[in-house]
Each structure stands twice: as C-alpha cells, then as structure tokens.
Amino acid sequence: MKKLPLLGDITPAQFLRDYWHKKPLLIRNAIPGFKPLLNMEALTKLATTNHAESRLVTNVDGQWNMQHGPLESLPPMDQKEWTMLVQGVNLFDAKADALLRQFRFIPDARLDDLMVSFATDGGGVGPHFDSYDVFLLQAQGQRRWSIGPQKDLTLVEGLPLKILANFKPNEEFVLNPGDMLYLPPHYAHDGIAIGDCQTYSIGFRAPSYQELGEGFLQFMADSIDLPGIYADPDLEATAKPAEIPRHMLSTIVEEMNKVRFTEEDITIFLGEYMSEPKHNVFFTGPAKPLTVGKFADTAAKKGLLLSRKTQMLYRGKHVFINGESFGVSRADKVTLELLANTRALDGAALGQASDDVMDALYTWYTDGWIELG
Ligand code: SIN
Ligand code: CO
C-alpha cells in the first residue's frame, strides 16, 4: 500500500505496525486546508433533534456538568468553557461519511463513527482516557492537547463524566486545522480549546467478549437441536425424594454437552452482530420505488451505492448486511464482495449479477439499504 499524507507519509502497514494500539502519532497537516464539513447550524440541528446522539459538557467554577441530547438550546457563544459533542455525524452527512471512509485501511468491522465536538475558549471534556483507539482531527481553530502514557487510570468518583484523578501528561501539542493526533486505547489525554474550536474524532469499536458471549448464546438458542426427552426406565425407589437423582444429572450433562459451536455458527453470529445497525439508525426506502424492471434498467445506467447507514461485511461464503446474513454462491460472492468493499456497483458489474443477486438488490433498494447512483 502506498504512503498516505493522512498518516504523515507512512504507509498504513507502517502505521499499524508501529503505532496502532502502541503509541501516539502527531500528524501535522494530515489533511491540508481542512475545514469543518458542516456549518454550526447543521451541527446544532443534529444536537437539538433526536436523530444523533449528543452531549453538552460544561465546567462552571470547576464543576463538571453533562447534559444528554436532544439539547434544548446551547449556551451563548460568548460563554467560555462549554463543549457540544455530536456522535455518528457520518450517518447524516455525505462529506462526513467520505472522511470516515478515508480510514478504511482499517476493516469496517472496527470502524465506528465520526464524532464532532464544538467548544468555546477553554472548553474540553477534561483529562480522561478512552477504551478505543481514536484519531483526533482538528477542524476549526486550535486545541491544546496534553497527553501521557500513565498507568494510573483512577477516576474521580461521583462525576457525570470520566475525569482522571491523577492526570500526569508528559507531552503537549497545539493542533491547527488539518493536524491530527492518533491515540491508542487507554492513553490519558486532555484537549482544551484555544478560542472557538472544532475537533473531529474518528472512533473505533471493539466488542467485549462478555457482550459477544451473551449475544452468541441468544443467537444459538434459536438454532440448537437436541431431540428426545429424559427417561429413566431403571428408576429405583428413593428414601430422599427431594434429591435430584444422580442418573438424571449425569444423563443431562451428557445431553447438554452435545451442544457444539462450529466456526461457521460463530462466523454467522459475528457477521450479523457487527453489521447490526445502531439503535438510532432507521432506514427509509424510496417514497415511490421503481418497479423491478425499471430498477434494473436504471441501475444498469447509473449504478448502485450502499446507503451511508448500511454496514455490509462478508467472510467466506457468508455476506452480512445490516444484521442479516446470506449464504451465497461462488459467482454471486464476486459481485457482493465488490459491493461491500467499494460500497458501489457500476453498470458493468451489475451486468454480471445473477437473478438472485438482482432480487436481493431490489429488496435492499426498497428497504433503503442501497440507492441508485
Ligand atoms: C473532544 O473532542 O472534545 C473530546 C475528544 C476526546 O478527547 O476523545
Ligand atoms: Co478522549
């Protein structure tokens, strides 16, 4: 892979080998001339409606306060030390989506969202650490970042947000628009706005094994197949009627141990799980969908795109889209993998698509999962 200015002229492979999960990287001019992608009106609209997840963080006389959106209103612009944070901006704006997708040298299953924060002078969310990797791209004004590798991650108790009790930074940088700072998980940091400031966080996700385990057992509950019922033709009379018979226990242990999880079960679960839309994502299909025939003709001319909100993944012969899985043939796999990786199909690729794929594409189009180009 070639060197990316976005990563400070190193290749994604070098970045992953030397920095990812390991140490911070400051990239001056990662995106030269970068400007905010949304104006304040559009950003405020997201925070004051229930579409996007948002928060307002203030620090008044040393008191941290956090309000969850939808926010009724914002503090005055001439009030210092407040921050508005809007999560998942990529779902609402094409340019924000395109920015997030510049980070696709990391698999979609790990990429989370683009969060935008706006702060007035002195604003920030306090010294803290995050559990996931993050790229902090300066979008407007300046922010001073203090960071440090400390192991003591004790938090101040009783606050509405995570604040490190003993923050000991060992480096400081002032970021200008277009500069970007990568931080690995659990790296302590504090970003303070110098004048009005916007920072874009490119965030990642990693499921916890506990949440996966719980989800997997629920998933398997629908598919386990254990025929037969317990029987005890050799039952003997008991003087301890309340005791569970040993034979009953040992037989049932043996039967329960027949529950086996194959790698394929786990693949299907994982693909469905990782492609499941977030709770606040809703799809709307076209108001007046084209007929199947018209859809195929138009798609052949204009091509198809995945909706910004669609998460499409695959592994082996399984394709996953928005929480659903499909086992596909070798030929269909080529078309669907192309759609998943490039998030688009042109007329030529559609010309190769089987009837099964065209049927699925039409359903996804009427559901709002894909759009005509
Ligand atoms: C911010 O943008 O204000 C906070 C981002 C972070 O520290 O993770
Ligand atoms: Co953070």
Side-chain angles (χ1 to χ4, degrees):
M1 258 195 189
K2 62 180 195 319
K3 293 176 178 177
L4 287 186
L6 183 71
L7 296 175
D9 266 334
I10 59 172
T11 64
Q14 281 169 320
F15 168 76
L16 294 173
R17 186 193 62 202
D18 298 338
Y19 298 95
W20 179 250
H21 273 28
K22 297 167 199 82
K23 59 182 183 192
L25 177 63
L26 172 67
I27 307 145
R28 293 286 178 198
N29 253 328
I31 307 185
F34 190 72
K35 294 216 169 46
L37 304 174
L38 281 84
N39 60 31
M40 269 307 274
E41 196 188 335
L43 194 61
T44 310
K45 198 168 161 202
L46 286 180
T48 50
T49 57
N50 60 1
H51 300 305
E53 259 180 65
S54 62
R55 284 164 294 157
L56 179 70
V57 175
T58 55
N59 189 333
V60 180
D61 300 328
Q63 287 271 5
W64 287 107
N65 206 319
M66 180 158 75
Q67 214 179 304
H68 283 277
L71 307 173
E72 267 170 28
S73 61
L74 298 183
M77 293 299 277
D78 59 3
Q79 180 180 317
K80 289 190 170 199
E81 294 186 32
W82 62 266
T83 297
M84 165 181 69
L85 304 122
V86 187
Q87 211 80 48
V89 174
N90 53 295
L91 299 171
F92 303 95
D93 182 83
K95 283 183 279 181
D97 175 67
L99 173 64
L100 183 69
R101 307 239 176 249
Q102 286 196 44
F103 293 80
R104 283 184 94 207
F105 57 90
I106 292 168
D108 289 341
R110 293 284 277 110
L111 203 51
D112 191 13
D113 75 335
L114 180 78
M115 179 184 83
V116 175
S117 76
F118 171 85
T120 56
D121 190 40
V125 298
H128 67 283
F129 67 90
D130 297 301
S131 305
Y132 308 107
D133 312 75
V134 66
F135 286 97
L136 299 153
L137 171 67
Q138 192 58 23
Q140 178 206 339
Q142 291 183 311
R143 188 182 281 272
R144 173 175 289 110
W145 286 102
S146 309
I147 65 170
Q150 67 189 66
K151 292 281 169 282
D152 175 4
L153 298 179
T154 315
L155 299 175
V156 181
E157 275 179 39
L159 293 185
L161 64 171
K162 287 196 321 184
I163 300 288
L164 282 167
N166 310 302
F167 182 49
K168 292 202 181 71
N170 69 343
E171 279 182 292
E172 198 179 277
F173 315 103
V174 173
L175 267 67
N176 292 302
D179 293 348
M180 188 164 75
L181 177 63
Y182 162 77
L183 293 177
H186 300 120
Y187 210 89
H189 56 285
D190 186 19
I192 298 179
I194 305 174
D196 287 355
C197 149
Q198 280 192 60
T199 303
Y200 284 19
S201 298
I202 291 91
F204 296 87
R205 64 191 292 222
S208 74
Y209 296 132
Q210 182 66 26
E211 70 178 276
L212 287 175
E214 289 174 15
F216 181 59
L217 288 183
Q218 269 172 23
F219 166 85
M220 285 305 290
D222 299 334
S223 61
I224 61 168
D225 181 28
L226 291 171
I229 56 172
Y230 175 67
D232 44 9
D234 302 324
L235 186 65
E236 286 172 11
T238 179
K240 295 180 194 162
E243 189 180 37
I244 292 175
R246 166 154 300 283
H247 173 264
M248 180 179 229
L249 179 62
S250 58
T251 310
I252 289 174
V253 165
E254 207 172 294
E255 289 299 318
M256 294 303 106
N257 281 335
K258 289 182 186 163
V259 177
R260 285 279 177 274
F261 309 135
T262 63
E263 185 166 322
E264 189 164 21
D265 294 328
I266 298 173
T267 305
I268 296 172
F269 160 72
L270 186 63
E272 291 185 4
Y273 189 87
M274 299 306 291
S275 66
E276 185 70 45
K278 290 193 181 162
H279 65 92
N280 62 342
V281 170
F282 301 100
F283 290 92
T284 24
K288 288 195 185 128
L290 302 177
T291 59
V292 178
K294 271 247 162 57
F295 167 77
D297 288 348
T298 316
K301 285 191 206 108
K302 296 185 172 174
L304 291 170
L305 300 171
L306 289 184
S307 150
R308 283 198 289 281
K309 299 175 186 171
T310 285
Q311 173 84 310
M312 186 171 186
L313 306 171
Y314 65 85
R315 179 82 229 171
K317 63 176 195 288
H318 302 283
V319 171
F320 311 99
I321 179 165
N322 297 331
E324 291 188 10
S325 62
F326 301 85
V328 299
S329 70
R330 213 174 261 270
D332 290 353
K333 197 170 127 82
V334 177
T335 314
L336 293 173
E337 286 184 7
L338 185 67
L339 175 61
N341 282 324
T342 61
R343 300 186 63 81
L345 284 178
D346 61 15
L350 283 161
Q352 310 289 315
S354 70
D355 290 350
D356 280 353
V357 167
M358 284 313 289
D359 282 351
L361 292 175
Y362 183 67
T363 307
W364 299 344
Y365 155 74
T366 55
D367 289 343
W369 294 4
I370 57 173
E371 289 152 17
L372 289 160

